[in-house]
Amino acid sequence: MTASQPWTVGVLIADDDPLVRAGLSMMLRGAPDIRVVAEAGDGAEVLPLVSRHAPDVVLMDIRMPVMDGLSATEALRARAGAPEVVVLTTFDADEHVLRALRAGAAGFLLKDTPPEEIVDAVRQVARGLPVLSPAVTRRLIARVADTGRDRHRARALERLAALNDREREVALALAGGRSNAEIGALLHLSVPTVKTHVSGVLAKLGLNNRVQIALLVHDAGLLDDRE
């Protein structure tokens, strides 16, 4: 790529339905700043295709033969320099979405999401922004089965104990759905300082993105304690 050529977002589409792949491909190819670099019909094909084509974003279906999208996401995000993953799903698989988010997926899209929103979501994720609204996060958390809740809470609280007071305040505000600018206004910090604290939280907790911070705070029940 020459200096005069704009950067484009490379996307790999993983879905076992050829019609879905064709529809997504047609939709994304219509955007001048997005290119579809490869397509996979199964989760087992994703890792070698990522190694070969180095996409920036993977659109990952959940239900696929041989290797499902959740297992593929976990295997992919365990790699250094892995692309961002957006899970394609429906609301009747909330617990699966949570598993994908904990594995490091940047968010999820419903398969009936309007085309322009899917294109915009790909751009956002490529820039490092999660595609997950606070309202949807709360709905997902609320629908998780109660099994193991106390154990999850204790483990989450233990991990969050590694944060200092300011980092904890930032994590709580982030989990409440606030942007960096809103967190700065709330805590009387500059946006660059907020970004520094977010990076510090990610490093201390060994997490990949803001979504995982929000999930950990929810697991710890800290937002419930403030309500």
Side-chain angles (χ1 to χ4, degrees), residues 64-82:
M64 291 185 287
V66 185
M67 177 183 282
D68 62 65
L70 298 175
S71 299
T73 296
E74 290 169 343
L76 184 60
R77 292 298 298 173
R79 289 181 168 187

Side-chain angles (χ1 to χ4, degrees), residues 10-193:
V11 179
L12 186 154
I13 300 170
D15 196 296
D16 64 336
D17 188 333
L19 292 178
V20 171
R21 293 201 306 272
L24 288 170
S25 180
M26 183 180 301
M27 178 193 314
L28 294 172
R29 289 180 195 278
D33 56 339
I34 295 176
R35 58 192 173 89
V36 177
V37 299
E39 297 181 15
D42 180 78
E45 300 173 3
V46 170
L47 272 68
L49 284 174
V50 165
S51 297
R52 188 179 312 156
H53 298 283
D56 302 294
V57 177
V58 176
L59 290 180
M60 187 88 74
D61 186 25
I62 285 183
R63 302 183 186 280
M64 291 185 287
V66 185
M67 177 183 282
D68 62 65
L70 298 175
S71 299
T73 296
E74 290 169 343
L76 184 60
R77 292 298 298 173
R79 289 181 168 187
E84 299 293 348
V85 176
V86 177
V87 175
L88 297 167
T89 187
T90 57
F91 270 123
D92 62 356
D94 290 350
E95 68 281 3
H96 294 157
V97 176
L98 281 169
R99 176 182 161 192
L101 295 176
R102 290 192 175 108
F108 75 93
L109 295 172
L110 301 180
K111 287 193 175 181
D112 60 356
T113 298
E116 64 275 10
E117 292 184 21
I118 292 180
V119 172
D120 186 57
V122 168
R123 292 183 179 124
Q124 285 193 62
V125 167
R127 294 196 300 266
L129 302 174
V131 183
L132 191 68
S133 73
V136 172
T137 300
R138 285 185 172 274
R139 176 172 177 175
L140 290 172
I141 296 293
R143 291 179 58 159
V144 177
D146 288 337
T147 304
R149 181 172 300 238
D150 290 342
R151 177 168 44 84
H152 281 303
R153 178 166 183 162
R155 185 180 303 160
L157 286 169
E158 182 179 353
R159 293 183 67 187
L160 290 170
L163 305 180
N164 61 39
D165 290 343
R166 181 60 83 187
E167 290 168 340
R168 183 184 176 95
E169 289 176 335
V170 170
L172 286 171
L174 189 155
R178 291 182 170 88
S179 66
N180 286 345
E182 291 170 333
I183 295 173
L186 177 68
L187 301 179
H188 308 291
L189 301 171
S190 68
V191 171
T193 299

Side-chain angles (χ1 to χ4, degrees), residues 159-165 167 198-207:
R159 293 183 67 187
L160 290 170
L163 305 180
N164 61 39
D165 290 343
E167 290 168 340
V198 171
S199 297
V201 171
L202 290 170
K204 281 189 177 181
L205 299 179
L207 300 177

